[in-house]
Amino acid sequence: MSDYVIRSGDRAAFLAGLRELGDFLAANPAVVVPRHASVTVLVDASDSAARRDGVESVAAPLGVSTQNLGQGYFDARREFGPIAYVVVAIPPEERP
């Protein structure tokens, strides 16, 4: 068992929602779109090594490297045009 937890959701529902959003925006050109957007996956772990391991477990299939942002924060991101897919781990004391 890993020392981290990735807060993941229903894959099929998520993909259907993205398609629905894209179709809606294509059909309604008067609706503004953001200049940049991101989708974020959170990694929950109590120690720095486990937070990094969790981010790396998502970074590998994305084909990107994990970044150590310092002070216990790690992330990895892949950009698809103006939309970023981000996995992030923050220290436990910083979580809302």
Side-chain angles (χ1 to χ4, degrees):
M1 179 179 219
S2 63
D3 292 331
Y4 60 84
V5 174
I6 296 176
R7 299 176 189 176
S8 185
D10 181 328
R11 183 180 189 82
F14 181 80
L15 294 174
L18 285 176
R19 289 183 187 100
E20 185 178 345
L21 174 61
D23 292 345
F24 174 80
L25 292 174
N28 294 279
V31 175
V32 299
V33 297
R35 182 174 289 171
H36 301 282
S38 64
V39 174
T40 305
V41 175
L42 297 176
V43 174
D44 188 13
S46 60
D47 66 77
S48 185
R51 285 192 299 277
R52 183 177 187 97
D53 288 347
V55 172
E56 287 177 348
S57 76
V58 178
L62 284 173
V64 298
S65 59
T66 297
Q67 302 298 312
N68 182 345
L69 304 175
Q71 299 181 354
Y73 293 83
F74 298 94
D75 86 345
R77 68 182 56 232
R78 180 168 175 182
E79 296 184 359
F80 300 87
I83 301 172
Y85 184 97
V86 182
V87 57
V88 64
I90 58 175
E93 61 275 4
E94 299 295 325
R95 285 190 212 114

